[in-house]
Amino acid sequence: MALRDRLPRHLFSERGWGLLAAGAVCLLSAQIMGRRDLLSLSVLLIVLPLVSLAGIRLLKPRFQVYREFSPSPVETSAATTARLAVARTGYGGGRAIMEERLPPRFGESPAFHFPARSAKGGTSRYEYHLRSTKRGQYLIGPVTAEFTDPFGLSLHRRSIDDGDTLTVTPAAVELPVTGLAGARGNDGITATRTRANPSDDDIMTREYRPGDPMRRVHWAATAHHGALMVRQEESVTTPEATIILDQRFAAFSGGHGSGFGGNAAVDGHEMITSGTFEWAVVAAISICTHLSERNYALRLLDPRGEPAFLRSPSAPEPEAEEFSGASGLQSIAESLAAIQLSGPHHAARDHSGQDAGPAVFDDHLMDKLSAHRMRGPLIAVLGRISPSEARALAPAAGYGANAFAIIVSERPADSEDSLEALRRGGWRAVAVPTSVPVPDAWTHFDQGGAAPATAAADVRRGAGVGR
């Protein structure tokens, strides 16, 4: 038994090794006894497994594999059904034992026999279920097949496809209805007024504001008033919300890289993430779902003012920053599936002791926000930010109908100075640990977390003057 377990299993079956062993015994006996018949038998017993091994490796059976997941993508903790269809497309016969290779997260890899008993038209169909509690992109497959010759003497194992990617998106949690979703801004508060035969006299105009598109400039009114005027006849009836998603390594690293847990990505590497960042991702998809269900158009940016999913390997359109409707929400969910922390892992320090990484909350972000000034609420989901970063972000409250900030940190008490800087700028801000459920953090904005209305109004009136 011990000797059999030590024999290579990828060359010959037990029957093949048995024939080789019998051939070796016959060859030794023929040498001792001088029997030519034993010599002929030994040659046959040894050559037969070797010929079968050469044949199965030279005449490789060819297969076509089709794999689909239902649903795809799938949310975390939800089950998806994987369906396989395997068909032989080349010469070769015999049976094969096939195995679908799975990442360790999904448990034991399923194995099956080809052809299946229920095979129809030369195609065998198989089905199994997958479930993951972690978001990410996972390589499912390839299918490996162990072939044998018609005599069952030799074995050959190889992959017959390249596998497919399963995208696991973060699952949104239901958020309670609060006054936050009612902050629709100046352009989204009233319905569009239309007339059967509009004329220039019907067009309402106002003074040009930074960020207004030039196509809306009303040149006749500009000449009459002596100042640049824009048209307002195209009132935006769809409310808008802008979400700033922090994804900086320094903001979620916990200071010493503690609390990190990687998810296997499609390329085999671990995603760079942490417990606080996973909380932020769930908060982001939950807020987006909550607002999308209330017909909000969504705009997602990162702290530098770039599209939030520019560096996400799972983003269908990495450069997109505006999303609307069910398709837009689906795109956001897919983009969040493999998003990870970015930026320097060990940020250098400047003379003031602050992280000297890429500039954040600067003029580039403010310019992006000014283009949609007062169109709806501004929501920031942040990691740890320094008081100086909070002071840089504070004037951004002037570009939203309301401004809300959630800081997720394992030590919320350390964010008091940053919270105070944001509140002075007109933000409604709260710092929470990961132990606080996302819905509880959301309801904070209806539980006395608002900044005084007069202070916010003062800041907003002066927000366009300086940053």
Side-chain angles (χ1 to χ4, degrees):
M1 179 66 70
L3 178 60
R4 187 177 63 181
D5 293 339
R6 294 178 181 177
L7 295 175
R9 295 180 178 273
H10 61 283
L11 294 177
F12 300 102
S13 64
E14 292 184 2
R15 183 182 301 174
W17 285 114
L19 287 183
L20 288 173
V25 171
C26 290
L27 181 61
L28 181 60
S29 299
Q31 184 69 22
I32 296 174
M33 301 173 62
R35 299 281 301 271
R36 297 181 64 88
D37 53 346
L38 287 177
L39 179 60
S40 300
L41 179 60
S42 66
V43 172
L44 176 64
L45 294 176
I46 293 174
V47 169
L48 187 59
L50 295 177
V51 171
S52 64
L53 178 63
I56 198 173
R57 300 216 172 206
L58 293 176
L59 302 176
K60 297 179 180 179
R62 295 184 179 180
F63 293 86
Q64 186 174 15
V65 178
Y66 174 76
R67 183 186 292 100
E68 68 173 1
F69 306 106
S70 180
S72 177
V74 62
E75 292 184 349
T76 54
S77 299
T80 184
T81 300
R83 296 185 177 91
L84 276 175
V86 183
R88 195 191 302 269
T89 59
Y91 295 104
R95 303 182 64 84
I97 298 177
M98 297 188 175
E99 181 181 77
E100 175 86 295
R101 290 185 179 175
L102 299 179
R105 176 176 305 281
F106 294 95
E108 186 177 356
S109 299
F112 41 90
H113 294 276
F114 181 90
R117 294 182 179 179
S118 59
K120 295 181 179 179
T123 301
S124 298
R125 303 182 185 276
Y126 312 92
E127 185 177 295
Y128 62 94
H129 302 284
L130 295 171
R131 186 191 307 268
S132 174
T133 59
K134 300 292 184 180
R135 65 182 180 88
Q137 285 189 308
Y138 302 93
L139 180 62
I140 305 301
V143 172
T144 60
E146 187 177 80
F147 308 101
T148 183
D149 63 279
F151 300 103
L153 302 179
S154 59
L155 300 174
H156 179 47
R157 188 179 186 89
R158 67 180 179 90
S159 299
I160 61 175
D161 79 318
D162 297 326
D164 289 292
T165 300
L166 173 64
T167 300
V168 181
T169 64
V173 296
E174 185 176 357
L175 300 181
V177 177
T178 67
L180 187 154
R184 295 194 171 191
N186 294 341
D187 288 338
I189 198 170
T190 58
T192 303
R193 297 180 180 179
T194 58
R195 300 187 180 185
N197 297 301
S199 65
D200 287 344
D201 294 335
D202 299 326
I203 296 175
M204 298 177 61
T205 60
R206 59 169 173 81
E207 291 185 0
Y208 174 84
R209 299 173 186 167
D212 287 333
M214 293 303 294
R215 67 177 181 273
R216 293 180 61 184
V217 173
H218 191 278
W219 297 109
T222 296
H224 178 74
H225 290 279
L228 203 58
M229 306 293 289
V230 295
R231 294 173 293 189
Q232 292 192 118
E233 81 280 9
E234 296 180 358
S235 178
V236 180
T237 58
T238 300
E240 298 181 3
T242 299
I243 299 170
I244 301 174
L245 177 59
D246 197 353
Q247 47 197 278
R248 297 170 297 148
F249 182 91
F252 293 95
S253 62
H256 302 285
S258 60
F260 272 70
N263 298 336
V266 67
D267 58 2
H269 298 289
E270 296 290 319
M271 286 200 306
I272 304 173
T273 185
S274 67
T276 50
F277 185 61
E278 292 302 310
W279 193 99
V281 169
V282 173
I285 188 60
S286 301
I287 292 171
C288 290
T289 302
H290 183 79
L291 295 177
S292 179
E293 290 174 348
R294 286 152 182 80
N295 298 320
Y296 274 77
L298 303 173
R299 190 162 176 251
L300 283 91
L301 303 172
D302 70 4
R304 292 184 287 273
E306 297 177 343
F309 307 127
L310 190 61
R311 298 170 184 82
S312 173
S314 61
E317 298 179 80
E319 297 183 356
E321 60 183 44
E322 297 183 8
F323 307 87
S324 61
S327 61
L329 184 61
Q330 183 63 39
S331 180
I332 292 174
E334 291 185 38
S335 300
L336 288 171
I339 195 171
Q340 58 184 336
L341 297 174
S342 60
H345 291 193
H346 302 283
R349 297 274 177 175
D350 60 20
H351 297 296
S352 65
Q354 302 296 333
D355 289 334
V360 295
F361 310 127
D362 59 1
D363 289 350
H364 184 61
L365 174 63
M366 300 302 168
D367 291 340
K368 281 291 189 73
L369 296 178
S370 67
H372 289 245
R373 183 187 180 112
M374 303 300 286
R375 295 284 183 87
L378 175 62
I379 305 168
V381 182
L382 307 169
R384 293 179 296 107
I385 64 172
S386 65
S388 62
E389 291 171 339
R391 287 191 292 271
L393 177 61
Y399 298 112
N402 280 292
F404 309 89
I406 300 177
I407 298 176
V408 53
S409 172
E410 293 297 350
R411 295 187 295 272
D414 296 345
S415 301
E416 285 302 323
D417 292 341
S418 300
L419 288 174
E420 183 60 28
L422 289 173
R423 288 166 182 162
R424 284 198 300 266
W427 289 81
R428 303 182 187 183
V430 61
V432 297
T434 55
S435 58
V436 172
V438 174
D440 291 352
W442 181 256
T443 57
H444 171 85
F445 300 119
D446 271 1
Q447 297 176 352
T454 55
D458 291 340
V459 171
R460 287 168 191 154
R461 280 196 294 271
V465 178
R467 296 170 188 161

